[in-house]
Amino acid sequence: MRRPPFPILLGLGLLFAGLTWCANAAATTIYECTTADGRVIYQDTPCGAGQQQRTMQVADAPAASRPAAPPTSEAPPEPTAPPPARAPSAPLPLMYTCVRATDGKTYLSDNGNPPPYQAPYGVLGAEQLPLSDVYGPDRGAAGISAPEANRGRVTSGMVANDYVWVQDQCREMDVEETCQALQDAYDQNEHKLGNAFKSQRPPLEKREAQLQAQLTNCGD
């Protein structure tokens, strides 16, 4: 029998060398077939009729390991729009409800002790006399008769001509009353803003911001 050519021997040597790649790797059966004319053929199926057959086990090449996938990190959350800026808080102001001494009407004030002022005595309703009695023919230039003046009475003439000192009376408002007053002031200011010219808006906008800051303490 002829000796196998060198290329065949080289290929066979490479096949046998593959056995050392991995001891635990799966093996493939290789069939060495020698034909009647002495040719040696290697194949993965059994030899044909009339051929000499020899088998060998060749380790399969290990599967190429895939590179480990990098650890996936969760995508950062999309930035959300910041919440609307809240108006800065301001303490509730001290507010007072006052009664005007001259006519009994009420008004709001930030001063609980308003200064006294002079008012005509006649508007206070202390004397209710007809004008004919006040300025009768027997009255003096000031409308005061001598006997009445001597008796020290406050006469109709004094009602017509004299002023007296009066002072409005005030009391401090509670939280609920203060919040209602601030809300009313805010609504009135908003109405003015809606009708104001551009040049008139700055002081109204400043007042709006002030009232908003104070109203944050009033809850919903």
Side-chain angles (χ1 to χ4, degrees):
M1 184 173 58
R2 291 189 305 171
R3 183 178 181 183
F6 177 75
I8 295 178
L9 292 177
L10 178 61
L12 183 60
L14 292 175
L15 289 174
F16 282 118
L19 294 174
T20 62
W21 288 355
C22 181
N24 296 327
T28 299
T29 301
I30 300 298
Y31 295 90
E32 181 187 277
C33 304
T34 304
T35 63
D37 57 2
R39 290 182 301 109
V40 178
I41 301 173
Y42 296 94
Q43 58 190 37
D44 58 358
T45 58
C47 300
Q51 296 178 348
Q52 295 182 3
Q53 177 178 293
R54 189 164 67 91
T55 61
M56 61 190 73
Q57 300 295 321
V58 178
D60 292 338
S65 60
R66 296 182 179 179
T72 57
S73 59
E74 295 183 359
E78 295 183 2
T80 57
R86 188 177 181 182
S89 175
L92 286 177
L94 280 177
M95 298 185 67
Y96 300 86
T97 179
C98 302
V99 178
R100 190 176 290 117
T102 55
D103 56 13
K105 293 182 179 180
T106 60
Y107 64 93
L108 302 181
S109 174
D110 56 1
N111 181 7
N113 187 30
Y117 55 94
Q118 287 186 324
Y121 188 71
V123 303
L124 303 180
E127 293 284 344
Q128 300 293 337
L129 295 178
L131 291 178
S132 59
D133 293 341
V134 175
Y135 296 103
D138 58 341
R139 304 294 179 178
I144 307 175
S145 63
E148 290 172 337
N150 292 335
R151 288 196 299 269
R153 292 177 54 194
V154 178
T155 66
S156 303
M158 293 182 65
V159 171
N161 299 295
D162 288 0
Y163 282 78
V164 294
W165 288 97
V166 296
Q167 185 176 23
D168 298 345
Q169 299 300 312
C170 301
R171 67 169 180 84
E172 184 177 340
M173 299 168 64
D174 59 27
V175 173
E176 184 177 356
E177 292 173 322
T178 301
C179 288
Q180 184 59 53
L182 291 175
Q183 185 62 53
D184 292 342
Y186 179 85
D187 294 340
Q188 294 172 7
N189 190 75
E190 283 295 286
H191 180 72
K192 293 178 182 179
L193 258 176
N195 298 318
F197 293 105
K198 184 176 181 180
S199 60
Q200 299 172 326
R201 294 181 66 88
L204 295 174
E205 290 171 345
K206 182 178 179 180
R207 177 60 173 160
E208 178 187 47
Q210 179 188 36
L211 289 169
Q212 283 180 334
Q214 293 170 341
L215 284 168
T216 56
N217 295 284
C218 292
D220 298 333

